[in-house]
Amino acid sequence: MTLTRRVISGMAVSGAIKLLSLSSHVTSMHRSSAILYRQMSTEAQNVATRLKSSGLLRSQALIAGKWTEAYDKKVIEVTNPATGDVVANVPCMGVRETNDAISAAHEAFSTWSKTTAAERSKCLRKWYDLLIANKEELGQLITLEQGKPLKEAIGEVSYGAAFIEFFSEEAKRVYGEIIPTPLSDRRLFVLKQPVGVVGVITPWNFPLAMITRKVGPALASGCTVVIKPSELTPLTALAAAELSIQAGIPPGAVNVVMGNATEIGDALLASSEVRKITFTGSTAVGKKLMAGAANTVKRVSLELGGNAPCIIFDDADLDVAVKGALGSKFRNSGQTCVCANRILVQEGIYEEFASAFSNAVQNLQVGDGFADGIVQGPLINEAGLQKVETFVQDAISKGAKVLIGGRRHRLGMTFYEPTVMTNIKSEMLLSRCK
């Protein structure tokens, strides 16, 4: 009984000491966070200034080879998710501006489609060379407006530029076919021809690579494009468009508009001059685009959402499994088209994997993408942060257990702690989100 009292008393005293220490620690954390925020903001502003000087930080739309504002002069603020600072104001466009861009692309199509494959190849190769020559600056721009770590952003530039390199070669290999016929005096042959103007709608998570992957094949085959980047990350698209001009791709072949997503999308769908829509994004929007494209019988290419699992079996090499799952799930803070949505682990290795994976996640460095050693940047915006919070709270309310993280990061803004949860059930949002 005496021992019990002493232990309880000891815990109380120890608790009081820890509480005082924690209060001091919290004050120190707040002070450190404020210093980090000022450092992040200053660094980002310095990067933005350098990019403006280089001519790659464009803040106007590109229509018919001219940089232009919205008719009503409305603008959208493009913010740095790590600091909340406004990087630039870009035009908030709608139907009129989109129709202008479509007309420009349609007019340019009459000449671009008639250039030889070799000429188109040379332009695309030059564009690739310029993307690579400016990969540091483009990477900085991606980090500035999207938030991913700089090393990862520069990797995206190399990845995205590779699409242009690939299709610069494929432009020369758009072959036709000779088809055997049942009649001896007939010959059947197939010619491949460009379809016309292509509407390109891209997401914010890969602001360069999603554009080059769509625009590369379109230009290589002789099509012209109207690009609608995400209003959250339009600056990388505009920088890429600037480099396409420098590469000799003619005015009107590449157009970029941004702003009211619904109006721009409706204009692209309604126009009979737009012959194809290519889109990466949510399944819900993809369905609307497919339905809208039916009225003018447009071709449609869609890369939509899913609910892909990463599956770990009992006989897995634990180190390889942890490394693979980490790279899949936490790349770009989980904000990629190809991230695993959930990790399914066989019972025999479950506890061991959960422990090793949690330890690895706990060591992930979170912070501003311009800082050394950072592998986890902020989420794209407040809505994205609230979505994560909703999923976590829903899971906890239904019996899930948080092993690591589970709350907003002390850095504030849209930073969230890398999180691992177990005891996930099929009825939880975490299990069925798309």
Side-chain angles (χ1 to χ4, degrees), residues 232-246:
L232 300 174
T233 57
L235 303 179
T236 306
L238 296 173
E242 164 63 27
L243 293 176
S244 77
I245 296 172
Q246 295 180 26

Side-chain angles (χ1 to χ4, degrees), residues 31-68:
R31 189 181 301 113
S32 298
S33 296
I35 293 172
L36 283 172
Y37 174 80
R38 287 195 296 271
Q39 290 174 342
M40 290 191 297
S41 183
T42 300
E43 173 64 16
Q45 290 169 8
N46 291 338
V47 170
T49 299
R50 291 196 298 270
L51 289 170
K52 287 178 182 177
S53 299
S54 71
L56 287 179
L57 205 168
R58 290 283 184 174
S59 57
Q60 294 174 301
L62 181 65
I63 300 176
K66 298 179 180 179
W67 299 103
T68 183

Side-chain angles (χ1 to χ4, degrees), residues 329-362:
K329 186 59 222 170
F330 286 95
R331 181 184 179 192
N332 195 18
S333 299
Q335 303 172 121
T336 83
C337 317
V338 293
C339 269
N341 297 74
R342 56 224 161 97
I343 301 174
L344 306 181
V345 185
Q346 198 169 0
E347 188 173 8
I349 200 174
Y350 185 90
E351 294 299 335
E352 190 178 3
F353 176 85
S355 176
F357 187 65
S358 297
N359 289 337
V361 170
Q362 194 168 29

